[in-house]
Amino acid sequence: MAIERTLSIIKPDATNRNLTGKINAKFEEAGLRIIAQKRIQLTPAQAGVFYAVHKERPFYGELCEFMASAPVVVQVLEGESAIAKNREVMGATNPADAAPGTIRAEFAESVGENSVHGSDAPETAAAEIAYFFSGLELVG
């Protein structure tokens, strides 16, 4: 198994409800280490750049507004197969389909307000990490 890094975002619906610690505990219990973390307030434009891959989708504008509606916690998780492990811990995008014990099963309010974001591939993870963090901030 390869040691990987992946980006995780704790979204506004979760930060508004003070769930950062509970969510981070789930990552750590799964063997992922938080090697960089910061709480930031995205602008709609910054969210738009980050989610540009969804620009043609009907939910894009709403997604950008939501991600800029309150602070988020951006972080880098590291561990064996971190990308797959993070996605497993997050659960399905639709909380109704998420396995019991996953972040989305426990904390998500809807498909749109699903508490967390995670990179889906090594290339995506590298680009997403670089969007929020300099190499000096990764202290694993």
Side-chain angles (χ1 to χ4, degrees), residues 15-89:
T15 62
N16 279 337
R17 292 179 289 142
N18 281 334
L19 296 174
T20 302
K22 290 179 180 178
I23 290 171
N24 283 341
K26 288 194 170 284
F27 293 136
E28 290 176 335
E29 288 166 9
L32 296 167
R33 291 181 15 167
I34 300 166
I35 64 163
Q37 181 182 68
K38 55 189 166 185
R39 184 179 181 94
I40 61 173
Q41 176 77 51
L42 292 171
T43 65
Q46 290 167 327
V49 170
F50 182 77
Y51 284 108
V53 66
H54 298 302
K55 193 168 189 157
E56 301 304 318
R57 296 214 160 141
F59 60 81
Y60 174 75
E62 185 178 327
L63 173 62
C64 294
E65 286 179 32
F66 167 64
M67 291 300 291
S69 69
V72 297
V73 175
V74 293
Q75 54 195 8
V76 179
L77 307 176
E78 182 180 77
E80 288 189 19
S81 302
I83 296 165
K85 177 63 71 178
N86 180 35
R87 296 186 71 76
E88 178 184 319
V89 172

Side-chain angles (χ1 to χ4, degrees), residues 108-119:
E109 297 184 308
S110 67
V111 173
E113 295 184 7
N114 60 21
S115 298
V116 286
H117 164 91
S119 305

Side-chain angles (χ1 to χ4, degrees), residues 4-5 8 20 28 30 35-36 58 76 81 93 101 106 123:
E4 295 178 328
R5 291 178 174 173
S8 167
T20 302
E28 290 176 335
I35 64 163
V76 179
S81 302
T93 303
E106 290 190 23
E123 303 78 23

